[in-house]
Amino acid sequence: LANMETYIAEMNNLSMLNHNVFKAQFALDKDLIFKPGQFMMLDFEHDGKKIPKAYSIANAPGKDSKKLELIIKYYEQGVAGNIIKKKWEAFKQTGEPQKITMRGAYGKMTLDKKSGITFVATGVGIAPFISMIKDELENKKNQNQITLYFGVRQNRDIILEAELNALQKKYSNFDFTITLSDADHTWQGAKGRVTAILTEKNIPQENSFFLCGNPEMVKEIRTMLNSKNIPTDRVHFEVW
């Protein structure tokens, strides 16, 4: 990756979104100019080695250009999530600001024209899309239809549902479907893999499509869109 601006970020909040995903909020030492859909590279040190990790920016551009939100999946053996969690615990105990060095913003999965948009995400692949959806609706006042299909495995894996509900209530041109591939009997919503849900839908030919999540899903949806003659320059994707 090309050298980008380096930031010193102070963590000022951390909240669990479900059993293994958290949202970390930072105050940067200078203004961050970014396009929704881009990501930051965080530089961690572990056992004397530098470990860079990429995380999508989850907040939309706003009045506070030093604010940054990242959505991070926590693995017990994962280096980055553990470091961030430990820093948050240290901050709560000592009150001393915990700093992380990061670089950015990177990435070309951004919106460049106003159109109807279909987003397809699995897991934490929703992170860049919450930034893009908020930016389109709140900042750019996009009046076109914006639809999100969000696939997770189980009820406990859902994140950001309250936020998505609030956006759907406020903006008549936004709707979303959460689908569970391994739902229990309490789940009243859509069931099945997100690829199957989307295949059943009427695909708007004029839309831009954004895909983010596991490689299998991205490959399947790209193949399906190609079979429906959606031009490749309107299909944007990142895999996790």
Side-chain angles (χ1 to χ4, degrees):
L1 289 172
N3 283 332
M4 297 292 278
E5 196 77 43
T6 299
Y7 299 84
I8 306 298
E10 277 187 17
M11 199 182 334
N12 53 26
N13 199 10
L14 188 145
S15 53
M16 295 303 295
L17 299 181
N18 68 14
H19 65 105
N20 68 350
V21 175
F22 56 81
K23 177 161 73 176
Q25 293 173 297
F26 301 90
L28 304 179
D29 61 335
K30 54 195 163 196
D31 293 340
L32 173 65
I33 308 300
F34 72 96
K35 290 182 178 179
Q38 290 189 306
F39 63 90
M40 301 295 285
M41 291 296 295
L42 277 61
D43 292 321
F44 297 99
E45 285 202 14
H46 182 67
D47 289 343
K49 290 180 191 163
K50 274 199 170 177
I51 302 173
K53 291 283 287 184
Y55 292 104
S56 291
I57 299 168
N59 55 299
K63 287 180 184 140
D64 184 357
S65 52
K66 292 186 173 77
K67 177 185 172 181
L68 175 70
E69 292 181 356
L70 303 174
I71 291 174
I72 296 166
K73 190 167 184 179
Y74 174 75
Y75 299 93
E76 277 195 26
Q77 305 303 320
V79 172
N82 271 302
I83 289 173
I84 288 175
K85 267 195 147 182
K86 279 177 187 163
K87 282 181 179 288
W88 180 242
E89 290 301 323
F91 172 70
K92 284 198 293 186
Q93 283 171 15
T94 66
E96 288 188 14
Q98 300 293 307
K99 296 179 181 180
I100 293 175
T101 304
M102 52 181 75
R103 292 167 284 126
Y106 299 99
K108 294 188 170 74
M109 191 182 67
T110 56
L111 270 161
D112 49 7
K113 59 178 184 290
K114 273 198 177 179
S115 67
I117 312 161
T118 301
F119 293 103
V120 188
T122 56
V124 289
I126 195 173
F129 296 161
I130 197 74
S131 169
M132 295 166 92
I133 289 165
K134 282 182 168 180
D135 189 53
E136 289 300 307
L137 295 172
E138 295 173 352
N139 295 339
K140 294 181 180 167
K141 315 292 185 199
N142 189 340
Q143 300 297 309
N144 295 296
Q145 184 60 38
I146 297 173
T147 302
L148 166 71
Y149 298 99
F150 180 32
V152 294
R153 278 195 65 220
Q154 299 175 327
N155 309 43
R156 71 187 197 132
D157 298 319
I158 296 168
I159 59 172
L160 303 173
E161 188 176 16
E163 210 163 316
L164 293 169
N165 271 323
L167 287 168
Q168 185 172 254
K169 220 172 250 185
K170 190 173 178 184
Y171 298 97
S172 59
N173 60 318
F174 172 65
D175 69 85
F176 72 97
T177 300
I178 296 176
T179 182
L180 272 53
S181 59
D182 184 20
D184 68 21
H185 67 281
T186 63
W187 177 247
Q188 301 296 309
K191 293 174 186 173
R193 292 172 64 224
V194 72
T195 43
I197 297 289
L198 193 63
T199 305
E200 293 164 11
K201 300 286 181 184
N202 182 25
I203 302 295
Q205 290 288 315
E206 65 289 346
N207 272 22
S208 294
F209 294 85
F210 287 83
L211 323 171
C212 189
N214 72 62
E216 234 175 84
M217 176 278 284
V218 170
K219 188 180 176 186
E220 277 184 51
I221 302 286
R222 285 176 68 204
T223 303
M224 186 261 287
L225 293 174
N226 189 43
S227 74
K228 294 183 186 289
N229 300 314
I230 305 292
T232 53
D233 66 349
R234 283 203 267 115
V235 181
H236 314 266
F237 63 92
E238 268 181 11
V239 296
W240 287 96

